[in-house]
Structures are given as C-alpha cells and as structure tokens.
Amino acid sequence: MKQAERREYMIRRLLDEKPEYRGMEIPADEGGQRRLLRGLMNVRMPGEIDGNFLRVQDEYLQEEAAEKGVVTLDDISFNEEGLAVWQGDITRLSVDAIVNAANSGMTGCYVPNHTCIDNCIHTFAGVQLRLDCAKIMQKQGYEEPTGQAKITPAYNLPCKYVLHTVGPIVDGRVTSEDEELLASCYRSCLELAAEKGLSSVAFCCISTGVFHFPNERAAEIAVETVKEFLQTETSVKRVIFNVFKDIDRDIYHELLK
C-alpha cells in the first residue's frame, strides 16, 4: 500500500465504526483527507481494533514520521550539565521519553485537529496510546492528580516512552502551591524515567499557554527542578527543554547560559 491508499483505508474503517458517519463523503484532496483522518482519530473513544487496521496505521504513521524527519541526541547541543534547549515538534525527537502535558482524564485531546501537544502526541502515536491510558485510568479509578505522572509506550513515535503529567492551571496570581505542583510534575516524570532506567527525557513547557502559568517563572521552576534532580544518583543524564515559541526559546537560553 502507498500512503494515499493507507490513508483512505483508515478513514473508511473509522467512518464505519460509527453508524452516523457512514455515507460521509471522503475529500478528494490530500489535505482534506489528512484533516479528516486526524479528526476521526481524535474523536475516537478508547477501544480495541483489529490487527489489520493497526498494521496499516503503524505503517502510515511510521512513514509520516520519517518524512517529517527524526531528530536524535546527536543533532542537539547539550551543555556540560547535560541540558539542552530544542525548538520544534516534540513528536520528532528520538529520545528515551518525551513528556506530554495531559489533562486529568489522561486519554488525550478529543477536539478534532486541535494543535495542543496532547492532541499531537496521541495522533502520531496511534490509537493504541489512548487505549493504554484508558486502561491505566480505569485501574486507578479516579482522575489523575496534578503534579503526578504516568508512563506508557510511545508506539509510532520515534521516542520509546511517553510520560504523561497534569500541570497546574493558574487562575489569576501564581501561588506557592502552583509553583510546587509544577515542580512536582518535573520531579514525577524524572523519577518515573529513572525507575525505567531511561537516560534521556524531553520536556515540553508544562502549564504555560492555555493553563496560564507565566512562561518565565515556569521555565525557572523547570530548570531548577531538573538541575536538582540530576545531582542525585540517576540513570537520567540528558534533559531537553523542548519549546515551540520564540519567547520560550529565549527564556531557556538565558537560563542555561
């Protein structure tokens, strides 16, 4: 199968899962098909699906990843402390684990084609990731508390694992509790990574953006917490602060000078 054939196959299969979607017209153009496929993956509830779909999906997503370009540790410049800033799409990073800024439900973003990191990670990992997260949450029996973390396989992402953590939502002034909860997100992820014997972790900017944590203070807490953790005996030797916006890139560069 070529990519276009895989894409159309997946769209038809996902449309067939929902009676209300059957008969929906598939766009003729590639861009429209990509948006429809991603939207269908985003709204799909956690659930099993047959091996043939997973095979086609995995082939499709792995080829997509290769086309985007995989970024390895050798492509990134680290300082003497093992820290680095990298600006770009976190789903391209070939590291031991990337960090997902999750919500308390922990099963990803259900908004079709949303651009948040939670949506991107679940989309490009594949439908297996949402099911894994749902099983973890079902076993836990309650929503994920702020400041803790869970770990799952990364499936079709270039990294090995995804660390999912729920950051604090700031309502007005940042409190000391907000700051401690954010620090706890970083510690919890690093502790889980160390338990797995992982050596490299890439953090996104947890709680900034729609969670309203001020960018500069969030970065200060991130760097302080990571540096403190790396002073302990741990398998984690390299930590990447992944940024998307120029403002965050400049803040982290200044902090790591």
Side-chain angles (χ1 to χ4, degrees), residues 198-233:
L198 308 185
S199 64
S200 57
V201 176
F203 282 99
C204 61
C205 296
I206 303 167
S207 277
T208 58
V210 296
F211 278 22
H212 306 302
F213 210 109
N215 299 58
E216 188 165 0
R217 185 61 187 129
E220 290 171 352
I221 292 169
V223 172
E224 290 166 5
T225 307
V226 169
K227 283 185 174 182
E228 181 180 356
F229 185 86
L230 293 181
Q231 297 305 308
T232 65
E233 286 294 323

Side-chain angles (χ1 to χ4, degrees), residues 86-90 115 205 242-249:
W86 185 77
Q87 185 175 20
D89 178 358
I90 199 170
T115 56
C205 296
N242 167 251
V243 299
F244 188 73
K245 297 178 180 178
D246 290 348
I247 184 174
D248 292 312
R249 177 201 61 201

Side-chain angles (χ1 to χ4, degrees), residues 5-215:
E5 294 171 312
R6 294 185 184 114
R7 186 167 52 245
E8 186 168 339
Y9 168 83
M10 292 164 63
I11 289 172
R12 292 191 184 281
R13 286 295 311 278
L14 293 173
L15 288 175
D16 285 345
E17 282 191 330
K18 290 281 191 179
E20 61 268 33
Y21 294 162
R22 290 171 189 165
M24 181 183 291
E25 186 174 345
I26 299 175
D29 63 295
E30 180 180 337
Q33 289 181 4
R34 285 178 177 274
R35 287 189 294 273
L36 178 56
L37 175 59
R38 180 167 178 169
L40 289 169
M41 293 175 72
N42 295 157
V43 301
R44 185 179 188 270
M45 298 301 292
E48 301 285 353
I49 197 164
D50 65 84
N52 193 54
F53 178 91
L54 293 178
R55 179 183 59 79
V56 174
Q57 175 210 246
D58 293 352
E59 290 171 353
Y60 179 83
L61 291 175
Q62 288 166 26
E63 188 163 326
E64 290 283 291
E67 288 179 7
K68 284 194 298 184
V70 174
V71 177
T72 70
L73 292 174
D74 291 337
D75 299 319
I76 297 172
S77 178
F78 291 85
N79 67 13
E80 65 278 2
E81 297 175 291
L83 305 177
V85 183
W86 185 77
Q87 185 175 20
D89 178 358
I90 199 170
T91 66
R92 294 176 59 201
L93 290 175
S94 177
V95 294
D96 285 344
I98 63 172
V99 174
N100 178 28
N103 57 51
S104 59
M106 293 290 278
T107 57
C109 170
Y110 288 81
V111 180
N113 292 283
H114 197 248
T115 56
C116 70
I117 191 170
D118 198 14
N119 188 297
C120 292
I121 287 174
H122 275 269
T123 296
F124 300 120
V127 298
Q128 302 100 311
L129 182 58
R130 177 166 284 174
L131 180 57
D132 263 11
C133 290
K135 288 178 178 178
I136 290 171
M137 297 311 292
Q138 184 178 25
K139 183 177 180 180
Q140 178 166 285
Y142 53 87
E143 290 191 334
E144 182 72 358
T146 302
Q148 298 185 17
K150 296 289 188 290
I151 189 168
T152 64
Y155 292 101
N156 294 292
L157 296 170
C159 57
K160 297 175 184 176
Y161 296 94
V162 179
L163 293 155
H164 308 262
T165 190
V166 181
I169 300 173
V170 174
D171 183 15
R173 183 178 62 86
V174 176
T175 66
S176 58
E177 182 182 9
D178 293 329
E179 294 182 333
E180 177 49 40
L181 285 170
L182 183 59
S184 180
C185 288
Y186 285 90
R187 279 195 302 271
S188 297
C189 288
L190 291 167
E191 287 167 358
L192 266 181
E195 286 177 17
K196 282 281 188 180
L198 308 185
S199 64
S200 57
V201 176
F203 282 99
C204 61
C205 296
I206 303 167
S207 277
T208 58
V210 296
F211 278 22
H212 306 302
F213 210 109
N215 299 58

